[in-house]
Amino acid sequence: YDSPWWGSVPYALVSIVLYVVGIPLVATVALLWHRTKLFTDVSVMSRYGDLYKLFRAPFALTETVLMVKRLAVVCVVMFASRTPVLQFAGLLVIFVGFLVWHTRYDVYHERVYNSLESALNLAAVAILGVGFAFMAGKFPDARTRLAFESLAIAIIVFSFTALLVAMVAEVVLWQRRRAARSRGAVYDPFAADIVDSVRQRVSDVRADQRERVLRDIVAQIVAVDPKLAAVVTLAEHENHGNRSSDVPGGSDGLGSVSRDSSQLAAGQLDDAATVASTDE
């Protein structure tokens, strides 16, 4: 700690306050302050949307959590560099913790982002394990060392492959979003969140219970907007293979209108999920 080091301390402290602490703190305060308007107020979405629109509604603060994660990684690497075992343990706790968190809750709207985050955390844990083996340096023979070196290379290749696959999938999602907007789809994160929640959790429901769950969901929607009852009735007829003539009103009356409304509603809901779950 010589004089040049102490001379740079004030600048370092200012940088820490402004960037390391300031940016995450301001982002967190802004999101908490507008927490009831994050998905309903256009001005809030346009100003702060980049901080949370990739994430499901219950996890709107995930970007701040990820900033804290990066800060924790840097702190462990820098301040525990003289104690490799402590450094390894700290990094392992961070990456395993976030791996479990992402795998358990799927915080992103899109499955591709959840898969990528889990894959990279898993790769980081694997690299830590291989690095710890090299740090110990007790390989019984050259063949074992070569195996660990090959494993490290394979993990790196896996990570870059996961990134490449995610990039391709993101381009596909972007094209779907453009197509949805060309059809007049509205940006509706609430609709996207509902669709995404059903899509992720429907496999957890027993097969013999899915019809009852579906009817409960439909009943809640109709209770909020009774006008959708005709659309629901038509959809039930179509799902049972009935012709349009079996629907009250015939193909030229209410049945035709309801069918158009059903297709439009389904298309708009799916489009909203596509638009809302993809970054600009």
Side-chain angles (χ1 to χ4, degrees), residues 82-122:
R82 295 185 180 181
T83 312
V85 175
L86 180 60
Q87 187 181 62
F88 169 78
L91 292 174
L92 188 65
V93 168
I94 293 171
F95 286 111
V96 170
F98 275 87
L99 174 62
V100 172
W101 183 56
H102 278 285
T103 305
R104 173 66 179 83
Y105 293 106
D106 288 336
V107 299
Y108 289 94
H109 278 298
E110 282 299 329
R111 186 175 302 174
V112 60
Y113 300 139
N114 290 311
S115 300
L116 176 62
E117 192 74 29
S118 297
L120 294 181
N121 280 315
L122 180 62

Side-chain angles (χ1 to χ4, degrees), residues 4-245:
W5 188 91
W6 284 108
S8 62
V9 166
Y11 302 101
L13 292 176
V14 170
S15 299
I16 291 173
V17 171
L18 290 179
Y19 299 104
V20 179
V21 178
I23 293 178
L25 182 61
V26 170
T28 302
V29 170
L31 294 182
L32 290 176
W33 184 265
H34 299 286
R35 61 185 179 277
T36 60
K37 303 177 182 179
L38 293 179
F39 298 100
T40 57
D41 192 315
V42 176
S43 62
V44 173
M45 293 172 63
S46 62
R47 178 174 296 180
Y48 303 109
D50 289 337
L51 293 174
Y52 64 86
K53 66 183 178 182
L54 288 179
F55 308 106
R56 294 167 52 208
F59 304 98
L61 293 177
T62 297
E63 190 62 44
T64 301
V65 175
L66 294 178
M67 286 190 237
V68 174
K69 172 193 174 183
R70 299 182 193 108
L71 176 61
V73 170
V74 172
C75 289
V76 170
V77 170
M78 291 184 60
F79 299 113
S81 58
R82 295 185 180 181
T83 312
V85 175
L86 180 60
Q87 187 181 62
F88 169 78
L91 292 174
L92 188 65
V93 168
I94 293 171
F95 286 111
V96 170
F98 275 87
L99 174 62
V100 172
W101 183 56
H102 278 285
T103 305
R104 173 66 179 83
Y105 293 106
D106 288 336
V107 299
Y108 289 94
H109 278 298
E110 282 299 329
R111 186 175 302 174
V112 60
Y113 300 139
N114 290 311
S115 300
L116 176 62
E117 192 74 29
S118 297
L120 294 181
N121 280 315
L122 180 62
V125 172
I127 282 290
L128 282 173
V130 174
F132 190 77
F134 276 100
M135 183 186 68
K138 295 181 179 179
F139 297 106
D141 50 46
R143 184 175 299 178
T144 304
R145 182 182 181 88
L146 179 62
F148 274 88
E149 291 174 348
S150 301
L151 179 60
I153 294 173
I155 295 169
I156 295 173
V157 171
F158 167 78
S159 301
F160 278 101
T161 302
L163 284 170
L164 181 61
V165 170
M167 290 171 61
V168 174
E170 192 171 27
V171 170
V172 173
L173 289 173
W174 179 76
Q175 292 177 338
R176 287 177 56 194
R177 183 190 63 186
R178 284 190 60 188
R181 285 185 170 172
S182 67
R183 295 194 297 269
V186 180
Y187 184 95
D188 189 348
F190 274 149
D193 210 29
I194 293 173
V195 173
D196 189 64
S197 297
V198 173
R199 181 179 59 192
Q200 292 184 22
R201 291 165 175 76
V202 68
S203 59
D204 297 333
V205 180
R206 295 204 324 257
D208 60 336
Q209 296 292 318
R210 288 174 185 170
E211 182 176 352
R212 181 185 64 79
V213 172
L214 176 62
R215 290 184 179 277
D216 289 343
I217 294 174
V218 171
Q220 294 296 326
I221 295 175
V222 172
V224 174
D225 191 351
K227 296 192 298 293
L228 293 177
V231 178
V232 173
T233 301
L234 179 69
E236 289 180 346
H237 280 286
E238 290 180 345
N239 286 336
H240 285 85
N242 291 338
R243 298 178 179 274
S244 60
S245 58

